Structures are given as C-alpha cells and as structure tokens.
Amino acid sequence: MDADAFPTPDVEVESLTPAELKSRIDGGESVTILDTRNTSDFEEWHIEGSNVEIANVPYFEFIGEEIDGELLEQVPEGDPLVVLCAKGGASEYVAGELAQAGRDVVHLAEGMNGWARIYERHEVTRYDGPGTLYQYQRPSSGCLGYLLVSAGEAAVVDPLREFTDRYLADAEDLGAELTYAFDTHVHADHVSGVRKLDEAGVTGVIPENAVPRGVTYADEVATAADGDAFQVGDAEVETVYTPGHTSGMTSYLLGGSLLATGDGLFTESVARPDLEEGDEGAPDAARQLYESLQNRVLTLDDDVLVGGAHFSDAAEPADDGTYTAPIGQLVETMDALTADEEEFVETVLADMPPRPANYETIIATNLGQHEADDDEAFELELGPNNCAASQDALTGD
C-alpha cells in the first residue's frame, strides 16, 4: 500500500501539530513516539531528546485485518503515544488501528515533513552591537541562520530557500527592509535562499572565493572579499575569509559582536574538511582550517560571540536559547582549539561522520549547476546536516 494512499481510519484519531510536539519536548514532558517510516529512513534521522522514547515499526507491518499480539508488543505505551510517518497519511491509519486495539494515541500531522518546517527565531541577548540580532534554528536538521536588524534595515546570513518568505515577513514585522542576504559558503546540507531572495529585490552576497568552484550565477549577485564591509543600518557586516571547510568558506563579523562562522567553527565542534576535495584533499583542507581558526578567528577578542551555521545534539544552548558562545569560552572547553597543527589535523580527520544525504546534488544546486524546484529542494535537504567533525575527540569531556 502506498504510504500516501491510506484510508481514513474507522476510529477518529486526534492529531498533534509539529509545533505542539516540539513545545512538549522543550517543556521537559516525557514523550513516547512510534515512528512508522521505513527502517532506513528512521536510522538516517529521527526525533531525539533526553525526554523522548522512540521506537520504529514500519507502517506496512500494520496492514491486515487486525493487529496481533506479537506486533502490539513492539509498540510502546504512551500518554498518549505519538505516531508519525513521513507526511501524515500512514501514521493516521496506524494510529487508528492502534486506537481500535485499545491504545491511547495521537498522530503527528504532516509527519516528519512538517517537523522539517519548524523554524524558530531567538534573540541573541549577548549581542552588543548596533541593532538587534536573532538566530534562526531548524531543529530537524540543526541548521542555523542569523537576522541582523538595525535602523530600519536588515540582513540575513545563511538563509534557507524553504524559508525565504519568512525572512521577508520577519524583517517587515520588525520594522525593517531586508537589504542583504549573505552565504558563508557553498552549502552541502541545504539549498541556499540567497538567489531566491536576490530575485525578490534583496542584494544576494556570496563569497568571492567560492566563485572558482563553478558558481554559474556569480554575475547576478554581489560578492564579498576578505575585508569587505557592508552597512546594515547602523551596523557593519565585515567579511573575514576563513577557508578550511571549503575553499571559499567566509565568516561575517556582525556589528563587531558576533562572528557568523558558517561551518568553520561551531559551539561544540569544528568543521569537517572533506566535502569539497574528498578524502584525498581533506588533510590539506584541515591544515587550512587550522590556520583560519588560529589566525583569523581566535585573534578576535575573547568576548566576541561565535555563531555557526549548525548545531548538533551535543551542543548546549546558551541562557538565551541560542547556540552561541564567546571565543574565550570555546578556547577553554574545546581541546582542538589549543592543539598544535598536527594534533589538530589528526583529530579532525579521525572518525568523521557520514557525509550529508544528497550532498553532491545539493552542492550542484547551490552552485547553479543543477536546477531543483521547491519540492525537490525540500526533499533533498531532509535529514541531519553532518557538516561537523566528530565531537567526541574535539572536547575535553
């Protein structure tokens, strides 16, 4: 049976929105989930949390006249049990079957696709530059972005194509006009929104050093070279070239207070160096990353905040709920930042996680070499980002 063609269950089943589920998890409630997607999809990515119990039983196991006792034993009890699938159709059917078997259940409306559309905005309260700075968070993939608002103007860093309308609406709600959209690099885990925002009248900006990779639309947008500055209201956005994760990796110092480091440095890890040149070129890229961190990032004042383009399950949010941290704090807590070059390279190359799903197609899309409509773009980026090196070897924990 097609997962999108399930009949309406005989028993009425209540639904839960992705935002409501996220609120329960964030509130510390114990949440029990039955994920009915195929096992391979579940193993690639699923909802996690210290207060989340989750089991995987594929939806097709429930197709039949009635659920037998052996199958029911695989299904955890919940208060209620949250049943989910990819898009919501299969989970509603399975939840109905479980309800008829006497279980207390709800199903997740829109499934994991709905979960992937959760996008939250948090103010970075420790930002002390001109205007106000916000961090965008996409819990499903760990993607982060930034919105700087100052004196009636706004700029977004590392926008996602799926949320381009959101950036425009947020800027308007905050009394500003979105004037710039910056990419830190050619992303491998999500489809960039810079070109779509540029088409909407925002000035799209990509790193000058990313162009040689084969960017097809470089003449249609602005480029940022090391040391360039862009004015956003009363705030300045300064370009800081920080290669390593990619050859064009570029950070942006926002209002002199937060360095948006893209995939160069996160609050819990550093970049993986193999997504552009592969395993063969990874050692040289790791050495380049070491130089960038030591000579371009760690030379900034200790109280300058670092905000990466991603966070992982190992990251701990700051008091304001953002994944940001002062440079001085990261130097104290991340062994990789005080290692010598050879130790750093060896550590970063050890035990790297799997590459992001569909990363080659996503890179080609962000270079302009592959055309993806909005639906394909959304499907391509589902799943974890995996853009960081393994956290286990990088910290002193």
Side-chain angles (χ1 to χ4, degrees), residues 162-233:
E162 177 66 22
F163 301 100
T164 50
D165 290 342
R166 170 74 181 275
Y167 305 125
L168 292 165
D170 281 1
E172 183 177 0
D173 289 345
L174 293 166
E177 177 185 0
L178 191 61
T179 55
Y180 287 108
F182 296 92
D183 258 346
T184 54
H185 64 296
V186 178
H187 292 276
D189 68 299
H190 68 263
V191 177
S192 166
V194 162
R195 276 194 292 166
K196 193 170 181 180
L197 285 167
D198 189 82
E199 291 168 359
V202 179
T203 299
V205 184
I206 63 173
E208 181 181 79
N209 289 298
V211 175
R213 290 186 65 182
V215 176
T216 64
Y217 52 90
D219 292 339
E220 303 168 18
V221 297
T223 57
D226 186 44
D228 283 352
F230 301 82
Q231 202 67 30
V232 180

Side-chain angles (χ1 to χ4, degrees), residues 141-166:
S141 63
C143 287
L144 300 173
Y146 300 87
L147 182 71
L148 174 62
V149 180
S150 174
E153 295 183 345
V156 62
V157 179
D158 285 334
L160 281 61
R161 181 162 140 187
E162 177 66 22
F163 301 100
T164 50
D165 290 342
R166 170 74 181 275

Side-chain angles (χ1 to χ4, degrees), residues 23-38:
S23 178
R24 291 186 182 186
I25 294 172
D26 289 348
E29 294 184 36
S30 295
V31 174
T32 306
I33 296 173
L34 175 67
D35 191 321
T36 66
R37 294 174 299 152
N38 292 330

Side-chain angles (χ1 to χ4, degrees), residues 72-130:
L72 203 57
E73 287 180 0
Q74 300 178 49
V75 178
E77 298 279 356
D79 186 26
L81 175 68
V82 180
V83 185
L84 64 81
C85 62
K87 300 179 181 178
S91 63
E92 185 177 19
Y93 171 82
V94 171
E97 294 295 296
L98 289 171
Q100 290 188 89
R103 290 297 183 90
D104 182 13
V105 294
V106 296
H107 88 98
L108 185 67
E110 302 180 26
M112 290 298 283
N113 280 14
W115 183 256
R117 289 189 170 93
I118 295 177
Y119 203 51
E120 301 174 325
R121 192 186 80 208
H122 299 265
E123 183 179 346
V124 183
T125 60
R126 290 182 294 181
Y127 169 80
D128 62 3

